[in-house]
Structure formats: structure tokens, C-alpha cells
């Protein structure tokens, strides 16, 4: 990882993030969402074992003082929101999921205001309006179809990611990127296990071992949760956060391209308009935050 440039790391994270929703779409007909994520995180943890052994990471991950930070990171950063995301993909498209994910920025400003007393600037409010407008275009296009159900599920779970960032910020500054990614996968398992038990008792579990499912599981574990999260944490540790965020925010464009090429989505004026509005608003908000951060330094 030391030989990897931050620029290569962030673009790897960008592509993996874009592809992940497309890959997950192929898995949803064959497996219960919580079960899929549980196996994915177990696979990622197994991938991390040699790395953790080499870096002494197990001692850090088993530190009782950091237990609640890890649990918050894994539960709110992966287990709960990604379970909702996968369920939502039964009803909506990967492109919609990627565009709607930009609504997380609105939650970020709202929680910063409510929890930290940080009032948003007029520029941030203007960017938020654009994000909301882009999301509204997609919701309006969905009408009263089942797609609206999936879209609303995604919008409704994004606040969890913001809370998980709070737990991540409380982790030791010297913690290696791979150790953070390993903690996120490992400590997602308790909540996912409880979800599996609940679903098994109320609805029953589904697991149809098709080649498509095995392929998506391999991608999710080895590429997304192992490699993707590691290069993302590496990138934000070795380059300006504003620059890294600006790059990663554009991933819905690649998700859109992949979805259309694979026949999972259609090229429509509404989607293009929603994409432009949501990404434009996201860039305005993060650009403002980046300038504030630079001024604070």
C-alpha cells in the first residue's frame, strides 16, 4: 500500500464504489440482504487476517476502550444502512441509489446544526436545495410505482452514514487505513447476525447458490469491503479531504454508465437532470466545507 499513490487510491475507491451498487443488484434475487452482507464482511475479515497479523492490528481491534467506536462504525457505517440499500435494490435501480446517496450531504449539514450548533451558510443551503431538487426529480419520476418504495428507503437510511463518521473520527489518529477498514467489516457482524436471526424467525432466509451470487459475494468481500474501504481510508489520509471527496462524489456517473451498458437502467432525461442537480449541489456544499477546513488550518 505504501507504493500506491493517493491519486491511484482515490480513483480505485471511486470505481469500486460505482460498481458496488451494480454488482449488488445482481445478488438481490438470490439471497437475503443481511445474509449477503454477513458473508461479505466475513470474507473481508478473512482477507484482512494476514495484514492484521503483520501490523499487530488484532491488539488494536480488541481494545476494550475502542469497542463502542468500532461497533458504531460497523453498525451504522455498514450493517444497517447497507442492508436497507440492498433491500431497496429489489425495487429501484443502481443509478437511482447512487444519485439518491448524495442526499447524505443534506443530513450532514442538518446533524452538524442540531448536534454541533454549526449553522449552514447560504452557499451550503443553496447546494442542499440543488441536491434536494435532484432527488425530487427522481422521486417524482417514480410516481406511485414500487420504484418509489426503494428510492424512499435509500433516502431514509443515509443519516446512519453520517453518525458512523462521528465514530470513525474518534478512532486513534495513528490507526492504519487497513485497520480501520478491517474494524468496519468485523464490527458490522454483530448487528448483521441479529438481523439474520430476526429475518429467519419472521420471514425465512433465502440463499440460492448460483454463479451470479458467488461472483457478487467475491466482489463484495474482496473488492468492496477489503480493497475498496482500504484504499478510501488510505486516500483521505494522504491527500486533501476536499479533493478526495470531490472525486468520490462523481461516482454516480460511472454507476449510471455501467447500469445502462449492462441493461439495468435506461438513459432518460429525468435521470440525467437528477444526476446534474444532485452532483452540482453536492460539489457546492463540499467545496464550501473544504474552504472552511483550509481556513481553519
Amino acid at each position: 500500500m505504501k507504493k500506491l499513490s493517493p491519486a491511484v487510491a482515490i480513483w480505485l475507491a471511486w470505481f469500486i464504489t460505482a460498481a458496488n451498487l451494480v454488482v449488488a443488484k445482481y445478488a438481490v434475487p438470490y439471497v437475503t440482504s443481511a445474509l449477503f452482507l454477513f458473508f461479505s464482511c466475513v470474507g473481508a475479515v478473512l482477507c484482512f487476517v494476514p495484514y492484521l497479523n503483520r501490523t499487530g492490528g488484532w491488539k488494536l481491534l480488541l481494545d476494550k476502550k475502542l469497542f463502542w467506536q468500532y461497533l458504531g462504525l460497523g453498525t451504522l457505517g455498514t450493517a444497517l444502512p447497507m442492508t436497507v440499500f440492498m433491500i431497496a435494490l429489489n425495487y429501484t435501480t443502481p443509478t437511482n441509489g447512487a444519485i439518491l446517496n448524495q442526499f447524505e450531504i443534506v443530513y450532514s449539514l442538518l446533524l452538524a446544526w442540531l448536534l454541533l450548533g454549526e449553522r449552514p451558510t447560504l452557499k451550503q443551503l443553496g447546494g442542499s436545495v440543488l441536491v434536494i431538487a435532484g432527488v425530487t426529480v427522481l422521486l417524482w419520476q417514480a410516481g406511485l410505482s414500487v420504484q418509489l418504495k426503494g428510492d424512499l428507503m435509500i433516502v431514509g437510511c443515509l443519516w446512519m452514514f453520517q453518525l458512523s463518521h462521528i465514530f470513525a473520527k474518534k478512532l486513534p489518529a495513528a490507526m492504519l487505513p487497513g485497520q480501520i477498514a478491517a474494524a468496519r467489516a468485523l464490527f458490522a457482524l454483530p448487528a448483521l447476525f441479529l438481523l439474520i436471526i430476526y429475518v429467519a424467525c419472521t420471514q425465512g432466509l433465502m440463499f440460492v447458490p448460483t454463479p451470479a451470487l458467488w461472483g457478487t459475494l467475491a466482489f463484495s468481500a474482496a473488492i468492496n469491503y477489503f480493497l475498496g474501504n482500504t484504499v478510501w481510508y488510505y486516500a483521505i489520509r494522504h491527500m486533501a479531504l476536499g479533493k478526495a471527496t470531490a472525486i468520490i462524489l462523481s461516482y454516480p456517473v460511472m454507476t449510471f454508465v455501467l447500469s445502462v451498458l449492462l441493461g439495468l437502467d435506461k438513459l432518460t432525461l429525468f435521470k440525467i437532470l437528477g444526476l446534474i442537480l444532485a452532483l452540482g449541489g453536492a460539489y457546492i456544499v463540499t467545496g464550501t466545507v473544504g474552504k472552511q477546513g483550509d481556513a481553519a488550518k
Side-chain angles (χ1 to χ4, degrees), residues 24-223:
K25 180 71 175 180
Y26 283 101
V28 291
Y30 305 110
V31 65
T32 301
S33 298
L35 193 61
F36 177 85
L37 291 165
F38 183 84
F39 287 142
S40 296
C41 289
V42 168
V45 171
L46 292 176
C47 291
F48 277 116
V49 167
Y51 171 81
L52 293 172
N53 290 339
R54 187 173 67 254
T55 61
W58 286 113
K59 183 178 179 180
L60 193 60
L61 263 61
L62 298 177
D63 188 341
K64 294 179 180 179
K65 296 178 181 178
L66 299 174
F67 174 79
W68 292 109
Q69 288 94 310
Y70 291 146
L71 192 63
L73 176 65
T75 301
L76 297 174
T78 296
L80 296 183
M82 291 311 300
T83 297
V84 174
F85 248 90
M86 280 204 66
I87 295 172
L89 286 174
N90 283 285
Y91 310 105
T92 192
T93 67
T95 298
N96 276 33
I99 298 173
L100 293 169
N101 199 37
Q102 306 306 302
F103 198 82
E104 183 186 346
I105 289 173
V106 178
Y107 283 120
S108 175
L109 295 179
L110 183 61
L111 289 174
W113 179 35
L114 294 176
L115 300 179
L116 304 176
E118 299 177 357
R119 298 184 65 179
T121 65
L122 288 176
K123 195 170 184 180
Q124 289 172 337
L125 289 174
S128 298
V129 169
L130 286 179
V131 173
I132 293 171
V135 169
T136 302
V137 167
L138 295 181
L139 297 181
W140 181 75
Q141 183 195 22
L144 296 177
S145 66
V146 293
Q147 182 173 300
L148 180 63
K149 179 178 179 180
D151 290 348
L152 290 176
M153 289 174 68
I154 291 172
V155 172
C157 78
L158 295 174
W159 59 271
M160 298 183 202
F161 289 121
Q162 279 304 308
L163 291 183
S164 77
H165 299 334
I166 296 175
F167 288 103
K169 288 180 180 179
K170 293 181 179 295
L171 294 176
M175 202 169 175
L176 297 174
Q179 293 170 344
I180 300 174
R184 184 171 173 177
L186 178 63
F187 285 87
L189 296 178
L192 288 170
F193 181 75
L194 293 177
L195 284 173
I196 290 170
I197 297 299
Y198 172 76
V199 174
C201 294
T202 58
Q203 304 172 23
L205 298 175
M206 176 177 64
F207 189 90
V208 183
T210 65
L213 178 56
W214 291 122
T216 54
L217 272 172
F219 179 94
S220 182
I223 305 300

Side-chain angles (χ1 to χ4, degrees), residues 193-279:
F193 181 75
L194 293 177
L195 284 173
I196 290 170
I197 297 299
Y198 172 76
V199 174
C201 294
T202 58
Q203 304 172 23
L205 298 175
M206 176 177 64
F207 189 90
V208 183
T210 65
L213 178 56
W214 291 122
T216 54
L217 272 172
F219 179 94
S220 182
I223 305 300
N224 186 48
Y225 288 110
F226 173 63
L227 178 61
N229 283 347
T230 300
V231 294
W232 165 246
Y233 288 122
Y234 177 83
I236 63 176
R237 284 283 181 88
H238 293 85
M239 68 189 302
L241 181 59
K243 183 177 180 181
T245 304
I247 293 173
I248 206 72
L249 277 175
S250 65
Y251 84 86
V253 176
M254 178 53 69
T255 301
F256 193 12
V257 171
L258 291 174
S259 295
V260 172
L261 289 176
L262 294 172
L264 298 174
D265 216 327
K266 295 181 179 179
L267 186 65
T268 68
L269 180 61
F270 286 103
K271 290 188 185 294
I272 294 174
L273 180 59
L275 185 67
I276 293 172
L277 289 172
L279 290 183

